[in-house]
Amino acid sequence: MNHSDLRSTATGIALALFLSGCATMIPEYERPAAPVAAHYPGAPAATESAGAASDIEWQALFGDQRLKRLIETALENNRDLRIAVLNIQRARAQYQVRRADELPTVGIGATGSRQPNGSGGIASVYSAGVSVTAYELDFFGRVRSLSAAALAQYLGTEEARKNVQIALISAVANAYLNLLADDELLAVTRQALATRGESLKLTRLKFDVGATSELDYRQAESLLEGARANLAQLERQRALDENALVLLLGQSLPDNLPQGAGLASQELNKELPAGVPSEVLARRPDVRQAEQQLIAANANIGAARAAFFPRITLTGSAGTASSQLSGLFKSGSAAWTFMPQLLLPIFDSGRNQANLDDAKIGRDIAVAQYEKAIQLAFREVADALAGRATLREQLRAQKAQANAEAGRFRLADLRYRNGVASYLDVLDAQRALLSAQQAVVQVQVQQAQNQVGLYKVLGGGWKAP
């Protein structure tokens, strides 16, 4: 093979590579319009300039140092997040495989064969060189479409990792707030238990001297045992909540955790900007993941369309060949082969058309899933905003009720000790006070968790400082 043949072959291959990268049959992608209202229900009109919660790092939202340490531990050890990271690495590898299909695979090899010839002798052929085997000249973009779909899938896994991180931070914060609420409920219940124990002693003394009836004594005893049962239930619930937190952390609770703040001192009352739905929801990783799935489905249509057109593959080699192994690399032993192959589908029993229909339906499904993701995100934000608008007033009213019940109990107890009121008034006041105090704690944790939830549904928590 002379130099001009080599140059013409190389030029032909280069031209084929250039042409194969110039065509694609992927439909032009257009992001579907968001099927939601322009503003959240009951919320004032917002502008994008107001900022976005997704731009606020989680370290800036949470002021409790103990909670920050727990979140850091979870981000390092949680298995769901670790799986999400591994899925990214796997998708990246799959994309690299598809990307490699766009370029020829060049190898170096040597072969030898010996077989009888027609004259009764042995014919020998030895060859060595570089070769390209079954490289597809992607004139119609089939391989490029598959590569584009793999790229979108890879980008989708990155959004999935962000979504897992957001959910993990929110779950750790909520689990921690549950523990704080458990501790405060336990403190309230222990205080009620001590108060009821004193009431039972007083009632017992009065019963022993005949100053009160056995009915009052049994009612006081029942109220005390009810508080003990409630305490046992709360202790069990705290153990369960701690187990849930340990699972999120991916390890046992770390030693030497910083001192934490109380439930009322979590400093989660900053106003998170809700923003414009069409802009804010597009920042959420789960919505962006759904869009990447849609882009991948759109690219698959291009690959299905390209299957209707001829598929051209190239096999070639350049090296040396000889009938004797000793002459393989001697002068004049150069050899080359060039074998293009064209396959034009004529009759495939409708396979290509079915694949194209399947790809189009897959895109329609991806559009519906994308729109559903936006609608779900819109509903979650609207729910969190509704909670923010009402929980503050509910907490204020609940605290006022608890203060009123505390005053009522003091008056009822004082009147009973002076023989003015019946013990039934004291029992009723004790029950109402405990219920009101527990309700305050429950509304406090609801308010804090609603703020955490709003931060999550607005797409905050995946950025690093």
Side-chain angles (χ1 to χ4, degrees), residues 2 16 42 49 61 64 75-76 107 110 113 124 146 255 258 293 307 324 326 338 344 346 387 394 403 447 452-453 464:
N2 56 39
S49 60
L61 180 70
D64 190 319
L75 293 177
E76 293 174 359
S113 66
S124 301
L146 293 175
D255 297 327
Q293 297 293 338
Q324 295 182 355
S326 60
F338 182 71
L344 176 64
I346 298 177
Q394 183 180 352
N403 291 333
Q447 184 184 35
V452 173

Side-chain angles (χ1 to χ4, degrees), residues 27-102:
E28 183 179 357
Y29 174 74
E30 293 183 4
R31 176 184 290 177
V36 294
H39 305 288
Y40 300 109
T47 60
E48 188 179 359
S49 60
S54 57
D55 294 330
I56 301 175
E57 292 85 6
W58 63 265
Q59 292 88 343
L61 180 70
F62 303 111
D64 190 319
Q65 296 301 319
R66 190 181 186 91
L67 174 57
K68 287 184 178 181
R69 178 73 64 81
L70 292 173
I71 292 176
E72 291 171 354
T73 302
L75 293 177
E76 293 174 359
N77 298 285
N78 181 266
R79 297 309 187 268
D80 288 334
L81 186 58
R82 189 172 298 177
I83 291 171
V85 172
L86 292 174
N87 282 334
I88 293 176
Q89 297 175 1
R90 183 180 185 183
R92 183 188 295 120
Q94 292 172 344
Y95 167 62
Q96 291 298 333
V97 171
R98 287 297 185 186
R99 182 66 175 166
D101 289 341
E102 297 182 30

Side-chain angles (χ1 to χ4, degrees), residues 300-339:
N300 286 331
I301 294 179
R305 286 177 173 175
F308 286 89
F309 294 86
R311 184 178 300 182
I312 302 173
T313 58
L314 173 64
T315 299
S317 64
T320 65
S322 174
S323 59
Q324 295 182 355
L325 185 62
S326 60
L328 189 60
F329 295 101
K330 289 183 178 180
S331 177
S333 64
W336 62 273
T337 61
F338 182 71
M339 295 179 294

Side-chain angles (χ1 to χ4, degrees), residues 57 60 129 162 167-168 180 218 296 377:
E57 292 85 6
K162 295 176 183 178
L168 176 60
L180 294 182
R218 294 304 178 186

Side-chain angles (χ1 to χ4, degrees), residues 260-432:
L263 186 59
S265 304
Q266 288 301 306
E267 300 179 355
L268 293 174
N269 295 324
K270 64 173 60 178
E271 290 292 331
L272 295 173
V276 179
S278 59
E279 295 295 335
V280 173
L281 299 182
R283 297 174 181 234
R284 283 184 37 149
D286 57 337
V287 175
R288 294 169 66 90
Q289 181 188 5
E291 184 176 15
Q292 291 299 333
Q293 297 293 338
L294 173 56
I295 294 173
N298 195 61
N300 286 331
I301 294 179
R305 286 177 173 175
F308 286 89
F309 294 86
R311 184 178 300 182
I312 302 173
T313 58
L314 173 64
T315 299
S317 64
T320 65
S322 174
S323 59
Q324 295 182 355
L325 185 62
S326 60
L328 189 60
F329 295 101
K330 289 183 178 180
S331 177
S333 64
W336 62 273
T337 61
F338 182 71
M339 295 179 294
Q341 182 182 30
L342 183 147
L343 177 62
L344 176 64
I346 298 177
F347 177 73
D348 62 357
S349 301
R351 180 181 291 106
N352 286 338
Q353 183 61 48
N355 286 333
L356 179 58
D357 293 341
D358 177 72
K360 290 181 177 179
I361 294 172
R363 180 190 58 184
D364 293 341
I365 293 174
V367 169
Q369 291 173 334
Y370 172 72
E371 293 175 340
K372 180 181 178 182
I374 288 183
Q375 290 175 337
L376 178 60
F378 183 88
R379 185 263 175 95
E380 289 175 346
V381 175
D383 288 349
L385 290 175
R388 184 172 70 176
T390 57
L391 282 169
R392 186 175 302 171
E393 173 59 23
Q394 183 180 352
L395 180 59
R396 186 207 62 79
Q398 201 68 60
K399 286 181 177 179
Q401 183 184 11
N403 291 333
E405 292 295 347
R408 175 191 169 196
F409 170 69
R410 286 193 299 269
L411 292 175
D413 186 62
L414 181 62
R415 288 167 58 86
Y416 172 71
R417 291 174 184 270
N418 291 309
V420 178
S422 68
Y423 191 65
L424 184 61
D425 294 336
V426 177
L427 294 178
D428 184 62
Q430 283 184 331
R431 292 192 188 97

Side-chain angles (χ1 to χ4, degrees), residues 2-304:
N2 56 39
H3 293 292
S4 62
D5 291 335
L6 286 173
R7 283 196 299 270
S8 62
T9 301
T11 301
I13 294 176
L15 179 61
L17 292 174
F18 173 76
L19 292 175
S20 66
C22 295
T24 181
M25 293 188 175
I26 301 175
E28 183 179 357
Y29 174 74
E30 293 183 4
R31 176 184 290 177
V36 294
H39 305 288
Y40 300 109
T47 60
E48 188 179 359
S49 60
S54 57
D55 294 330
I56 301 175
E57 292 85 6
W58 63 265
Q59 292 88 343
L61 180 70
F62 303 111
D64 190 319
Q65 296 301 319
R66 190 181 186 91
L67 174 57
K68 287 184 178 181
R69 178 73 64 81
L70 292 173
I71 292 176
E72 291 171 354
T73 302
L75 293 177
E76 293 174 359
N77 298 285
N78 181 266
R79 297 309 187 268
D80 288 334
L81 186 58
R82 189 172 298 177
I83 291 171
V85 172
L86 292 174
N87 282 334
I88 293 176
Q89 297 175 1
R90 183 180 185 183
R92 183 188 295 120
Q94 292 172 344
Y95 167 62
Q96 291 298 333
V97 171
R98 287 297 185 186
R99 182 66 175 166
D101 289 341
E102 297 182 30
L103 299 174
T105 299
V106 180
I108 298 177
T111 61
S113 66
R114 291 172 58 84
Q115 60 183 9
N117 55 25
S119 60
I122 301 296
S124 301
V125 177
Y126 302 95
S127 63
V130 297
S131 63
V132 175
T133 304
Y135 166 63
E136 181 174 348
L137 301 179
D138 197 25
F139 289 114
F140 304 101
R142 189 188 73 87
V143 177
R144 285 170 55 83
S145 297
L146 293 175
S147 178
L151 175 60
Q153 294 285 354
Y154 162 57
L155 296 177
T157 58
E158 172 61 28
E159 299 299 336
R161 184 205 65 80
K162 295 176 183 178
N163 194 47
V164 171
Q165 177 173 319
I166 290 174
L168 176 60
I169 292 173
S170 174
V172 172
N174 285 332
Y176 179 70
L177 292 172
N178 282 335
L179 282 180
L180 294 182
D182 291 338
D183 290 338
E184 296 203 13
L185 288 172
L186 284 169
V188 169
T189 304
R190 289 190 180 104
Q191 182 181 3
L193 188 63
T195 301
R196 293 178 183 183
E198 292 177 0
S199 297
L200 180 61
K201 290 179 181 178
L202 177 61
T203 307
R204 176 72 184 187
L205 290 174
K206 287 190 174 185
F207 173 67
D208 290 341
V209 299
T212 189
S213 66
E214 184 179 359
L215 178 61
D216 288 345
Y217 171 69
R218 294 304 178 186
Q219 286 177 329
E221 185 181 29
S222 174
L223 202 63
L224 177 65
E225 295 303 328
R228 286 174 176 167
N230 191 17
L231 180 65
Q233 180 182 359
L234 290 173
E235 288 175 341
R236 181 174 66 254
Q237 184 60 51
R238 192 194 185 286
L240 296 178
D241 289 340
E242 183 173 324
N243 292 340
L245 178 59
V246 168
L247 177 62
L248 292 171
L249 297 182
Q251 64 167 59
S252 58
L253 289 175
D255 297 327
N256 302 322
L257 285 172
Q259 184 66 32
L263 186 59
S265 304
Q266 288 301 306
E267 300 179 355
L268 293 174
N269 295 324
K270 64 173 60 178
E271 290 292 331
L272 295 173
V276 179
S278 59
E279 295 295 335
V280 173
L281 299 182
R283 297 174 181 234
R284 283 184 37 149
D286 57 337
V287 175
R288 294 169 66 90
Q289 181 188 5
E291 184 176 15
Q292 291 299 333
Q293 297 293 338
L294 173 56
I295 294 173
N298 195 61
N300 286 331
I301 294 179

